[in-house]
Structure formats: C-alpha cells, structure tokens
Amino acid sequence: MTILGLSVAAFTALHVIISLIGVGAGIVVLIGMANNNGLKGWTTLFLLTTALTSITGFFFHSLAFGPPHVFGIVTLVVFVPILVGLYARHLRGWWRVIYIFGAAFVLWLNAVVGVIQFFQKVPFLNAFAPTQSEPPFLAAQVVLLVVIAVLTIVAALRFRPGPEFA
C-alpha cells in the first residue's frame, strides 16, 4: 500500500517531520511575538508546515471519521482568518489579535496531537500513561495549554508588527 507514491511508513515519517517542524517553528513564532518580533521567515515556515500537516493527515487511510479529521478540519478553517489577517489586512486593528490567537490556537492543536503521539509511541512515556487518562498525560496537556496561553496573552499585549507585515 502506498500514499502519494510513498510507502505508508515513508509517508508517515514525512508527515511527522513536517508536523515537528511546524510545532517547533510555531513555538519560535509565538515566543517572537511575545518579544515583539514578527520573525517573518519563521512565520511562513510555521504556517506552511502547519497547513501541510493538516493536509497530509487526510491522506492516511481510515475506516471512520474521527478526532484526527476534526483537528485537521478545525485547523484549516481557523487558517482562513489567520491568512486574511496576515496577508490581506496586514495585522491592522483587530486583525492583529485575530492572527495572534488563531496562530496560537492552531499551534496548540498540533502540539496536543504531538503530546498524544509521544505518549502513544515513546515506550518511556507510554509506561506512565498507557491509556492517556493518567495524571502524567493530563499534566503534560495542562502544562502545554498554560504555556501557550501565557505566551499568547503576552504576545497580544506586546506584539506590534513592523513594516515587514505591511
């Protein structure tokens, strides 16, 4: 079986690499905004890899519609105001806040999936939370949410995009 001409294992590896790049770039972008730095190149990398993560996720063979599909659809829907705010409205007025919260939200969605996957696939973590209802898993998700929420609030208060976004 293949997906877009790649073995399922190769396509999965590509999807994971794209996803990890997206989450990493998203963290850099969110920290940058919290420090009043737009990091345009990192922003482009974050948005591109995050979109590709959602799009490639739909190519996996699945017998039923489930949470991964919901995450992908929600991410792509939220991308609309993110892209309008950034590229059409140049982060002017409320579009700055819409962009910041939208970007942080899609980062959080992808990071949540990352935490889920780490606890499922990494034996050391899986031993602590085999059903993903145990305290270590819940603590990881809460810490992730708090860190992204705090950075988002700080970014909303501090980030004033410069002429590179005009």
Side-chain angles (χ1 to χ4, degrees), residues 1 3 10 13 16 37 51-52 57-58 60 66 70 76 91 109 134 141 152 156 160-162:
M1 180 177 287
I3 303 173
V16 169
N37 189 339
L52 284 173
F58 289 111
F60 288 100
V70 173
L76 294 173
L91 303 179
L109 286 176
E134 294 81 7
Q141 292 291 12
T152 303
R160 300 291 181 255

Side-chain angles (χ1 to χ4, degrees), residues 22-133:
V23 170
I27 292 167
V28 169
V29 168
L30 191 56
I31 291 170
M33 287 190 294
N35 288 304
N36 194 29
N37 189 339
L39 303 172
K40 193 169 184 180
W42 282 99
T43 298
T44 301
L45 180 64
F46 163 58
L47 295 175
L48 179 63
T49 53
T50 300
L52 284 173
T53 297
S54 292
I55 292 165
T56 59
F58 289 111
F59 286 93
F60 288 100
H61 303 288
S62 179
L63 298 175
F65 185 84
H69 301 101
V70 173
F71 273 65
I73 290 169
V74 169
T75 296
L76 294 173
V77 167
V78 173
F79 251 85
V80 173
I82 289 171
L83 296 176
V84 168
L86 182 59
Y87 295 112
R89 301 295 181 208
H90 308 287
L91 303 179
R92 285 189 218 107
W94 281 101
W95 287 104
R96 178 186 63 84
V97 175
I98 291 167
Y99 166 77
I100 292 168
F101 278 87
F105 181 66
V106 297
L107 169 61
W108 175 74
L109 286 176
N110 280 327
V112 162
V113 173
V115 170
I116 291 168
Q117 291 296 315
F118 276 117
F119 272 91
Q120 285 179 347
K121 308 285 191 238
V122 176
F124 172 76
L125 293 175
N126 187 266
F128 286 106
T131 67
Q132 297 186 352
S133 61

